[in-house]
């Protein structure tokens, strides 16, 4: 193959990988491989002078513009150019020269551009091609990290990275009940912001992290002051620190160490330096698709190691049985690594995993262990014919979209599919068992320690084995058991919520306990007397409760769980109070109550109700911005419903005077 053919081959490989990476699909190669191919392409282009228009060296890496999305295309007011990259600290020093610089993390998410006019957020647009992106302003209320309203009343443009934390990524990925799990948090963020369902986006905890103030009508020439301005207006900003060429090495070491020590839950894939003098930065030229003074990105050189594969462990979560490489321990980036996810069967085939082979391992972004290549392989491996959790038959599925091969358990009642139920059982609204993450519980499920909620209270029987697991020790074991013991004293409402009765959320649980008390609830379950007479329950929810109790072992498990816990606030409440018969809708920020949950609790303690939307049944809409043009305010005015502030409420009905 001559050099021109190799250049064209590399362009095709890299462009396909970028389309998959930025389109929220399965990764076709690791960042390590992409960087290696990209460096080879740049070297060949410089050597031959052959630079093709579709080369990734000549365009902004960007997410695909989704033709099926309801988002409209928007031309960027200020093109979102990419930054030149280096793996050399000396290059950073040379770029800085004798000028002051700022260093910050290069977050691994999806770049968004926010525009404000007259103090209000007007648009949110994805980076897209760098010239145009998708308008996703309809998601403004379900992404955190920025205000919808600011005190600055002129034109302003902010650029930042939308990210999903590693913690949320692990929890979300573990509960996805389909054949397409996400490869990494960046992949998940991209896929999430391509959704048309705001409720689904909100569940995934996407956070915006501002990394530059692109434009402001006023003169603020200091980059640091521009970032401080954003923070004052309520933006979450990327972590940053000031320095110069003499301090760059120590700053790089400091920022890198925080990642290596596992103190960054936000995914990062490098660092960025930029000039303190914003006017000087704007005076640079544009080379290709890089603004020469806008900033310089620093990417860590991945360190790899070869080690012997011991075996492939198969772990079931939701309906998917995923392979995990277990290999001889190897030291990487200051830590010892012995396991790495292989994602799915297609990835095993791509790598060439064999029953007896040597694997090359890195820590992607200095965090996630990843197998990037295989040598000395037989290119053959065995796929389990039965589920490792329930022992039932497995089935190989191939997705229609990406043709990815994944293994699934065929048993609809497999306890591994209880991930969401276990997660709800231990949640703060449920039993409030701190430290039992979904990842930990899935591990226990696959090891046979958990088969029902009841088993959580008997994990001490497996203490010796659990302490031998990676990430566990005597201290963490003690903390977990202490949290379980603490949870044994629980409010009846939270206990009912934790049972995962279909259609019965926290509000419905409150109504059941308030009306019947816990003993009355159990009595009706045993005598098969319905609950439709209770306000807010109705026939459908009543039937759901009775059906749940009659199915499988739910009745037995409930009886045994009752013996494990001590219920408080379990008596029926007499309906009385100053707010009896009044329904309130609470919207916007609160200032006197600690939060809206406390406000709601006060209303309910006085016999009132809190609804989520304005209707003819609403007595008052509580909104500290009484004159706003929000949809709830408009509807309240149309229906003639009084709109009062929080202070008005307290003056009329009493309540908390605790400032936030």
């Amino acid at each position: 193959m001559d050099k021109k053919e190799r250049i064209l081959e590399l362009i095709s490989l890299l462009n396909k990988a970028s389309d998959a990476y930025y389109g929220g699909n399965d990764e076709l190669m690791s960042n390590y491989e992409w960087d290696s191919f990209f460096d080879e392409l740049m070297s060949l282009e410089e050597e031959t002078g052959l630079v093709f228009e579709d080369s990734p060296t000549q365009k902004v890496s960007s997410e695909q513009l989704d033709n099926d999305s309801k988002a409209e295309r928007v031309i960027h007011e200020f093109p979102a150019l990419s930054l030149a990259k280096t793996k050399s600290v000396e290059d950073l020093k040379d770029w800085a020269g004798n000028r002051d610089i700022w260093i910050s993390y290069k977050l691994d998410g999806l770049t968004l551009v926010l525009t404000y006019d007259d103090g209000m957020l007007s648009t949110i647009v994805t980076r897209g091609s760098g010239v145009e992106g998708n308008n996703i302003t309809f998601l403004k209320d379900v992404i955190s990290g920025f205000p919808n309203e600011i005190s600055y009343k002129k034109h302003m443009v902010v650029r930042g990275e939308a990210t999903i934390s590693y913690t949320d990524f692990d929890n979300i990925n573990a509960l996805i009940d389909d054949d397409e799990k996400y490869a990494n948090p960046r992949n998940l963020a991209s896929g999430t912001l391509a959704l048309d369902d705001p409720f689904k986006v909100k569940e995934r905890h996407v956070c915006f992290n501002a990394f530059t103030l692109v434009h402001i009508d006023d003169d603020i020439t200091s980059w640091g002051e521009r970032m401080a301005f954003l923070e004052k207006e309520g933006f979450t900003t990327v972590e940053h620190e000031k320095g110069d060429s003499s301090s760059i090495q120590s700053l790089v070491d400091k920022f890198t160490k925080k990642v290596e020590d596992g103190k960054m839950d936000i995914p990062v894939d490098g660092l960025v330096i930029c000039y303190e003098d914003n006017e000087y930065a704007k005076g640079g030229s544009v080379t290709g698709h890089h603004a020469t003074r806008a900033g310089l990105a620093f990417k860590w050189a991945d360190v790899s190691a070869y080690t012997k594969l011991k075996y492939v462990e198969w772990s079931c979560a939701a309906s998917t049985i995923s392979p995990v490489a277990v290999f001889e321990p190897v030291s990487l980036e200051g830590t010892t690594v012995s396991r790495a996810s292989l994602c799915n069967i297609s990835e095993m085939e791509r790598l060439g995993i064999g029953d007896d082979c040597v694997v090359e391992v890195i820590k992607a972004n200095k965090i996630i262990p990843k197998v990037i290549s295989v040598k000395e392989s037989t290119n053959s491996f065995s796929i389990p014919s039965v589920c490792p959790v329930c022992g039932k038959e497995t089935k190989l599925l191939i997705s229609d979209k990406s043709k990815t091969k994944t293994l699934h358990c065929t048993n609809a009642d497999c306890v591994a599919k209880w991930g969401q139920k276990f997660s709800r059982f231990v949640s703060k609204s449920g039993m409030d068992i701190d430290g039992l993450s979904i990842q930990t519980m899935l591990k226990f499920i696959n090891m046979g320690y958990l088969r029902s909620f009841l088993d959580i209270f008997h994990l001490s029987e497996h203490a010796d084995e659990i302490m031998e697991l990676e990430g566990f020790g005597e201290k963490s074991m003690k903390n977990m058991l202490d949290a379980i013991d603490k949870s044994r004293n629980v409010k009846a409402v939270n206990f009912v919520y934790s049972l995962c009765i279909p259609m019965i959320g926290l509000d419905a649980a409150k109504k059941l306990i308030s009306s019947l008390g816990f003993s009355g609830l159990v009595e009706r379950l045993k005598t098969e007397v319905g609950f439709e007479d209770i306000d807010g329950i109705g026939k459908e929810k009543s039937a759901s409760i009775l059906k749940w109790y009659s199915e499988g072992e739910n009745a037995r498990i409930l009886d045994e769980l009752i013996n494990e816990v001590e219920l408080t606030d379990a008596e029926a409440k007499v309906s009385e109070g100053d707010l009896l018969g009044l329904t309130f809708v609470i919207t916007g920020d609160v200032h006197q109550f600690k939060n809206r949950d406390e406000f709601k609790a006060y209303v309910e303690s006085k016999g009132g109700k809190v609804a989520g939307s304005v209707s003819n049944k609403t007595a008052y809409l509580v909104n500290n911005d009484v004159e706003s043009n929000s949809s709830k305010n408009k509807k309240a005015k149309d229906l003639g419903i009084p709109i009062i502030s929080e202070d008005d409420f307290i003056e009329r009905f009493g309540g908390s005077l605790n400032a936030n």
Side-chain angles (χ1 to χ4, degrees), residues 259-260 262 302-311 324-342 359-372 470-471:
V259 177
E260 290 178 339
D302 288 307
V303 178
S304 69
Y306 287 96
T307 183
K308 181 78 171 178
L309 178 70
K310 295 168 67 176
Y311 57 89
V324 177
V326 181
F327 40 79
E328 296 290 345
V330 62
S331 180
L332 279 175
E333 312 279 5
T335 61
T336 300
V337 178
S338 61
R339 300 165 60 85
S341 171
L342 293 171
V359 295
E360 184 183 10
V361 185
I362 64 169
K363 285 179 71 177
N365 294 352
K366 294 191 173 291
I367 297 291
I368 306 298
K370 185 175 182 66
V371 176
I372 60 168
E470 184 177 349

Side-chain angles (χ1 to χ4, degrees), residues 94-115:
D94 291 342
W95 190 86
N98 60 358
R99 294 182 174 275
D100 288 340
I101 55 90
W102 287 84
I103 189 167
S104 61
Y105 284 111
K106 182 176 180 291
L107 302 184
D108 195 17
L110 190 73
T111 300
L112 302 180
V113 181
L114 277 57
T115 301

Side-chain angles (χ1 to χ4, degrees), residues 583-595:
T583 298
F584 296 82
V585 173
I586 303 168
T587 188
D589 295 331
V590 295
H591 309 301
Q592 301 290 2
F593 289 89
K594 290 180 181 178
N595 49 52

